Amino acid sequence: MSSYEFLIGLRYTRAKRRNHFISFISLISLLGMTLGMTALITVMSVMNGFHKEVRARILGVASHAQISSYEGSLYNWEKIGEVAVRNPQVVAAAPYIDAQGMLSHGSMVHGVMVRGVVPADENKVADFGEKMIAGKLDQLTPGGFGIVIGRELARTLNVFQGDKIVLISPQGQITPAGILPRLKQFTVTGIFEVGHFEYDSGLALIHLSDAQKLYRMAPNQVSGIRLKLHDMFEAPQVIRELAAILPADLYFTDWTQQHANYFRAIQIEKRMLSLILALIIAVAAFNIVSTLVMAVTDKQSDIAILRTLGASSGSIMKIFIIQGALIGVLGTLLGLLGGLLLAYNVGDVVAFIEHISNTQFLSQEVYYISKIPSDPQLADIVTVAVVSLILTLLATLYPSYRASKVNPAEALRYE
């Protein structure tokens, strides 16, 4: 830090005597680097927040992993569940029955996905108990023929807790008049809202034993088993381990397969936005190139004098590399500070802008996520900082090389 190359490079960062335009361009490069870093970190944090929020809402209803059968039903699900729970990553297992049906109330009819569950077990693998806005999941009892539906579905059918609705099963009964669908009246015992339209508008929960009776299944027959894991990201590894010890006729899936397209689309969007915003940092790096080229042109006589005093070409390169690196490092540090401050307070900033502009960016009536989430991740921040520093150092190489090739005799000819 005490070397003359560093001291001269630090001095050249500000052109005090003759060319103030160079210091102005240096300031613009610094602000561009800071702005690019701030915008990139903030956007990546917001995208991570949206990804985390959507994933939490989907997996609050769906499962981390599922075990089913290629034949469509399991008969020995208790033993399979016991084997699955022995895995250290598996928190709980719950049987389920998946079927299709139609709900009717008055003149309104709506198709739904019917899920038969055991409330005590279902609360261990899903978050329905926390998402109830009316009634409780535990009110589903064997033989009670109660049903729990989503908020949007209840609004579509215009029903409330305690109302009677008819569930129509596609499995028909053969009668002299032909094949007629099976009908059963259910009582709405609860209404949930998970914040995901697909489930709030098209999912109905009934007790497992009621589903077995309605869909003519044996008392020990289910569609499959739902699993909850300690770490959801270990789901692919867990199902591979279970597939190795469980019968070969079972079918294993996890949340990364069930919702692959959805999460892949979010990830691609995040990468494209990051790439576009990274161009701001690239522009700032090009500004550093122009700044150093002008500095080299302005300081040719100084370079010649240093060379005549014995400075090597490498020392001249170091001077201008240090000058450009100082701009890049300072811009990166300020950008990191600004990005983290904005990422952790983006909700308050957006609320303030909404207040002064009297507008609402994410209306609760339109969007299920009405607040802008943010989730700064260390890996993203480190990656952005490293890329910024690399671009900065690369931007200093050509101007510094030109400075090292300045001929002292030519530079001092007209001095």
Side-chain angles (χ1 to χ4, degrees):
M1 297 291 289
S2 60
S3 65
Y4 75 92
E5 293 99 336
F6 178 81
L7 295 177
I8 297 175
L10 182 62
R11 182 181 179 183
Y12 280 0
T13 304
R14 296 183 60 189
K16 293 182 178 180
R17 290 185 300 171
R18 290 183 296 176
N19 199 343
H20 293 282
F21 183 70
I22 297 177
S23 61
F24 175 74
I25 296 298
S26 299
L27 179 62
I28 294 299
S29 302
L30 176 64
L31 293 177
M33 190 72 66
T34 302
L35 178 63
M37 289 283 294
T38 301
L40 188 52
I41 291 175
T42 303
V43 169
M44 293 180 72
S45 299
V46 170
M47 290 299 298
N48 289 334
F50 273 110
H51 195 178
K52 182 179 179 180
E53 185 73 16
V54 171
R55 185 174 63 235
R57 296 192 178 201
I58 291 178
L59 296 183
V61 179
S63 56
H64 295 167
Q66 288 186 180
I67 303 174
S68 57
S69 173
Y70 287 102
E71 299 177 356
S73 59
L74 293 177
Y75 288 93
N76 57 339
W77 62 269
E78 295 94 342
K79 294 181 180 179
I80 296 175
E82 291 175 0
V83 174
V85 173
R86 293 174 191 165
N87 189 291
Q89 276 290 339
V90 178
V91 178
Y96 71 93
I97 292 177
D98 268 348
Q100 294 181 348
M102 296 184 68
L103 288 178
S104 174
H105 180 256
S107 61
M108 303 299 297
V109 179
H110 197 282
V112 295
M113 176 63 69
V114 180
R115 180 183 296 173
V117 299
V118 178
D121 294 335
E122 187 68 15
N123 281 328
K124 297 178 181 178
V125 299
D127 299 332
F128 282 110
E130 302 173 3
K131 307 296 182 181
M132 301 296 295
I133 59 176
K136 296 181 179 179
L137 188 63
D138 296 336
Q139 292 177 309
L140 294 178
T141 57
F145 291 99
I147 188 169
V148 175
I149 61 177
R151 180 179 180 180
E152 291 299 320
L153 182 56
R155 182 181 302 174
T156 301
L157 297 176
N158 192 25
V159 296
F160 302 91
Q161 184 182 6
D163 288 347
K164 305 288 185 180
I165 58 177
V166 176
L167 177 57
I168 305 172
S169 167
Q171 295 179 349
Q173 294 178 333
I174 300 176
T175 67
I179 300 178
L180 298 178
R182 292 170 56 85
L183 307 177
K184 183 61 182 178
Q185 188 178 67
F186 282 77
T187 302
V188 179
T189 59
I191 299 175
F192 64 82
E193 182 182 17
V194 298
H196 195 275
F197 185 80
E198 179 183 353
Y199 297 113
D200 286 341
S201 64
L203 179 63
L205 305 178
I206 62 176
H207 197 277
L208 187 72
S209 63
D210 294 343
Q212 290 170 337
K213 294 176 183 177
L214 181 64
Y215 292 97
R216 295 181 175 180
M217 301 177 70
N220 63 338
Q221 184 181 3
V222 298
S223 298
I225 301 174
R226 289 153 50 83
L227 305 178
K228 183 176 182 179
L229 311 180
H230 288 288
D231 184 359
M232 67 176 69
F233 298 103
E234 293 293 327
Q237 178 63 29
V238 170
I239 63 173
R240 284 193 294 267
E241 294 175 358
L242 294 178
I245 60 177
L246 289 172
D249 60 341
L250 297 180
Y251 181 64
F252 301 85
T253 57
D254 63 84
W255 67 274
T256 62
Q257 298 170 337
Q258 297 167 352
H259 308 280
N261 293 334
Y262 196 84
F263 290 114
R264 190 177 295 119
I266 296 178
Q267 192 66 25
I268 292 174
E269 184 178 4
K270 174 188 172 183
R271 290 177 181 176
M272 292 307 298
L273 283 174
S274 301
L275 179 61
I276 293 171
L277 291 175
L279 294 178
I280 300 177
I281 300 177
V283 170
F286 283 118
N287 287 339
I288 293 176
V289 175
S290 61
T291 300
L292 293 181
V293 168
M294 288 187 292
V296 170
T297 303
D298 183 61
K299 302 296 183 181
Q300 285 200 9
S301 58
D302 293 2
I303 296 171
I305 293 173
L306 289 172
R307 291 297 305 276
T308 57
L309 291 175
S312 64
S313 299
S315 296
I316 301 299
M317 283 193 67
K318 288 180 183 179
I319 290 173
F320 290 95
I321 288 176
I322 289 171
Q323 181 182 353
L326 284 174
I327 299 174
V329 171
L330 186 58
T332 300
L333 293 177
L334 292 176
L336 284 174
L337 179 61
L340 290 175
L341 288 175
L342 186 56
Y344 280 108
N345 298 280
V346 66
D348 296 333
V349 173
V350 171
F352 175 74
I353 295 175
E354 290 178 341
H355 176 71
I356 62 176
S357 62
N358 197 24
T359 58
Q360 190 172 6
F361 296 140
L362 298 177
S363 175
Q364 193 170 7
E365 289 77 15
V366 179
Y367 301 99
Y368 284 95
I369 301 177
S370 57
K371 296 182 179 179
I372 296 182
S374 180
D375 181 27
Q377 295 184 0
L378 180 62
D380 292 338
I381 296 172
V382 171
T383 301
V384 171
V386 170
V387 169
S388 175
L389 292 175
I390 291 176
L391 287 176
T392 300
L393 292 177
L394 291 177
T396 63
L397 294 181
Y398 174 71
S400 302
Y401 176 75
R402 279 193 56 183
S404 67
K405 295 302 180 181
V406 171
N407 188 335
E410 291 292 332
L412 295 175
R413 174 178 296 180
Y414 301 105
E415 292 293 330

